[in-house]
C-alpha cells in the first residue's frame, strides 16, 4: 500500500492502523517524513511570502519614504517629527526615531518590521525578534541599509531554501519525539487491555495515529486559523486514535 492510501485510511480507520504494526520500520519512518512534509508546507509558504513581501516593501520604504537617517551609538537619528507607518501587502513598516512608538503598538501585527529609536523589530508569522542598535559597532546610514537590502534580495531564495530545510528537519525531529512518547503511553494501555504488543509495534501504530490531528492542524495553518488549546487537542486526539487502534488488536491467548 502506498503512502497516500495509508494516509487516507489513517484518517478514519483504527482497524487499518492496527494492521500497519506488521510492516517494516523503514516504511513507517518514511511515512513520518512524508506526513511532516505535508504539515510544514503552509508555514513555509506563508513565512516565505512574508519575507519576500517584507523585503520588497522595506527596499521601497528606505529608498522613497524614509528620511535620511543614521544609526550610531545605539540610537536611530533622523529629522522626523512624527512616526512613519506604511502598510503594504499585509506587511507593516514602521520608522520612528522620536520614541513615540513602542512594541505594544504593533504587537498584534502578523508581519512587520519596525525601526524604533533604540532597536529594530522583525515580526514574521506573529513571531517577534528584536535587536538593539548597540550591537552595531559602526555607524549605519540609510544608503548603507539600501545596499544591504539589495544584497539580501539577490540571495533571498537561497536563504528561504535553507530556512525551509531547517524548519522541515526540526519539525521531523519533534514529530519523532512526539510519536515515541505516544508509544510509551501505548505500553501502559496495552498492559491494561492485555494486548500482545511490543514497543516497536506500538511505535508504528502511533506514527499513523497522529495522521488525523496532523492533517487537521495543517488545514488550519493553510487557512491561517488559530485553534484554541491546539497543543492539548493534538495530544488528546492522537492518544484517542491510538487507544482505539490498540483495541482493534486481539487479546493475547491465555494458556
Amino acid at each position: 500500500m502506498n503512502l497516500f492510501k495509508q494516509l487516507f485510511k489513517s484518517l478514519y480507520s483504527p482497524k487499518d492502523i492496527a494492521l500497519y504494526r506488521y510492516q517494516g520500520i523503514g516504511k513507517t519512518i518514511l511515512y513520518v517524513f512524508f506526513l511532516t512534509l505535508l504539515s510544514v508546507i503552509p508555514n513555509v509558504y506563508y513565512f516565505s511570502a512574508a519575507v519576500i513581501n517584507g523585503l520588497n516593501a522595506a527596499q521601497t520604504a528606505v529608498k522613497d519614504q524614509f528620511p535620511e537617517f543614521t544609526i550610531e551609538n545605539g540610537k536611530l537619528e533622523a529629522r522626523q517629527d512624527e512616526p512613519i507607518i506604511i502598510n503594504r501587502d499585509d506587511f507593516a513598516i514602521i520608522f520612528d526615531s522620536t520614541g513615540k512608538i513602542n512594541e505594544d503598538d504593533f504587537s498584534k501585527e502578523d508581519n512587520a518590521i519596525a525601526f524604533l529609536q533604540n532597536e529594530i523589530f522583525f515580526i514574521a508569522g506573529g513571531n517577534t525578534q528584536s535587536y538593539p542598535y548597540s550591537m552595531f559597532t559602526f555607524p549605519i546610514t540609510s544608503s548603507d541599509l539600501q545596499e544591504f537590502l539589495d544584497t539580501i534580495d539577490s540571495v533571498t531564495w537561497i536563504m528561504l531554501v535553507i530556512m525551509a530545510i531547517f524548519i522541515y528537519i526540526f519539525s521531523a525531529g519533534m514529530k519523532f519525539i512526539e510519536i515515541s512518547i505516544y508509544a510509551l503511553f501505548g505500553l501502559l494501555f496495552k498492559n491494561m487491555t492485555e494486548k500482545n504488543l511490543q514497543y516497536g509495534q506500538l511505535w508504528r501504530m502511533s506514527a499513523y495515529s497522529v495522521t488525523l490531528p496532523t492533517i487537521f492542524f495543517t488545514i488550519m495553518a493553510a487557512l491561517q486559523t488559530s485553534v484554541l488549546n491546539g497543543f492539548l487537542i493534538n495530544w488528546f486526539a492522537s492518544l484517542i486514535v491510538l487507544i482505539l487502534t490498540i483495541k482493534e488488536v486481539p487479546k493475547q491467548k491465555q494458556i
Side-chain angles (χ1 to χ4, degrees), residues 84-126:
I84 298 173
I85 301 176
I86 304 166
N87 289 289
R88 177 183 172 187
D89 297 328
D90 296 322
F91 196 96
I93 300 177
I94 300 167
F95 184 91
D96 178 34
S97 62
T98 66
K100 295 180 179 179
I101 291 181
N102 57 50
E103 183 180 357
D104 293 336
D105 295 324
F106 54 85
S107 60
K108 294 183 180 179
E109 296 286 349
D110 288 327
N111 302 292
I113 181 171
F115 298 86
L116 300 191
Q117 192 174 49
N118 299 305
E119 56 191 328
I120 183 171
F121 287 84
F122 296 96
I123 304 177

Side-chain angles (χ1 to χ4, degrees), residues 45-234:
Y45 171 79
Y46 286 117
F47 177 82
S48 300
V51 170
I52 293 171
N53 291 337
L55 181 59
N56 291 337
Q59 285 179 299
T60 301
V62 172
K63 183 178 180 181
D64 301 326
Q65 297 172 284
F66 284 5
E68 293 291 328
F69 65 85
T70 301
I71 297 175
E72 190 173 8
N73 298 323
K75 188 175 181 180
L76 174 65
E77 297 179 354
R79 292 183 178 180
Q80 180 184 24
D81 296 323
E82 295 294 331
I84 298 173
I85 301 176
I86 304 166
N87 289 289
R88 177 183 172 187
D89 297 328
D90 296 322
F91 196 96
I93 300 177
I94 300 167
F95 184 91
D96 178 34
S97 62
T98 66
K100 295 180 179 179
I101 291 181
N102 57 50
E103 183 180 357
D104 293 336
D105 295 324
F106 54 85
S107 60
K108 294 183 180 179
E109 296 286 349
D110 288 327
N111 302 292
I113 181 171
F115 298 86
L116 300 191
Q117 192 174 49
N118 299 305
E119 56 191 328
I120 183 171
F121 287 84
F122 296 96
I123 304 177
N127 297 312
T128 303
Q129 295 288 335
S130 64
Y131 302 93
Y133 297 134
S134 57
M135 66 184 294
F136 301 115
T137 58
F138 50 88
I140 297 176
T141 65
S142 50
S143 59
D144 293 331
L145 181 58
Q146 182 66 51
E147 292 178 6
F148 174 74
L149 291 174
D150 290 340
T151 302
I152 293 295
D153 186 46
S154 65
V155 295
T156 299
W157 287 107
I158 297 175
M159 294 173 56
L160 290 177
V161 169
I162 294 173
M163 184 59 66
I165 293 173
F166 174 80
I167 292 173
Y168 176 63
I169 293 174
F170 177 79
S171 299
M174 294 302 297
K175 184 65 71 176
F176 277 103
I177 293 173
E178 180 184 348
I179 290 168
S180 299
I181 295 174
Y182 291 145
L184 291 175
F185 280 104
L187 284 174
L188 297 175
F189 189 75
K190 74 99 176 179
N191 290 332
M192 295 171 56
T193 54
E194 300 180 348
K195 300 299 177 71
N196 186 22
L197 292 167
Q198 303 300 318
Y199 179 81
Q201 294 176 318
L202 287 165
W203 197 93
R204 292 173 176 86
M205 293 160 63
S206 298
Y208 291 93
S209 296
V210 302
T211 301
L212 179 60
T214 298
I215 295 300
F216 170 77
F217 283 103
T218 299
I219 293 173
M220 292 297 102
L223 297 174
Q224 292 187 293
T225 302
S226 61
V227 179
L228 187 63
N229 297 321
F231 178 81
L232 295 177
I233 292 174
N234 176 62

Side-chain angles (χ1 to χ4, degrees), residues 34-47 167 218 221-222:
F34 170 67
L35 190 63
T36 303
L37 177 62
L38 294 180
S39 70
V40 301
I41 288 175
N43 290 331
V44 169
Y45 171 79
Y46 286 117
F47 177 82
I167 292 173
T218 299

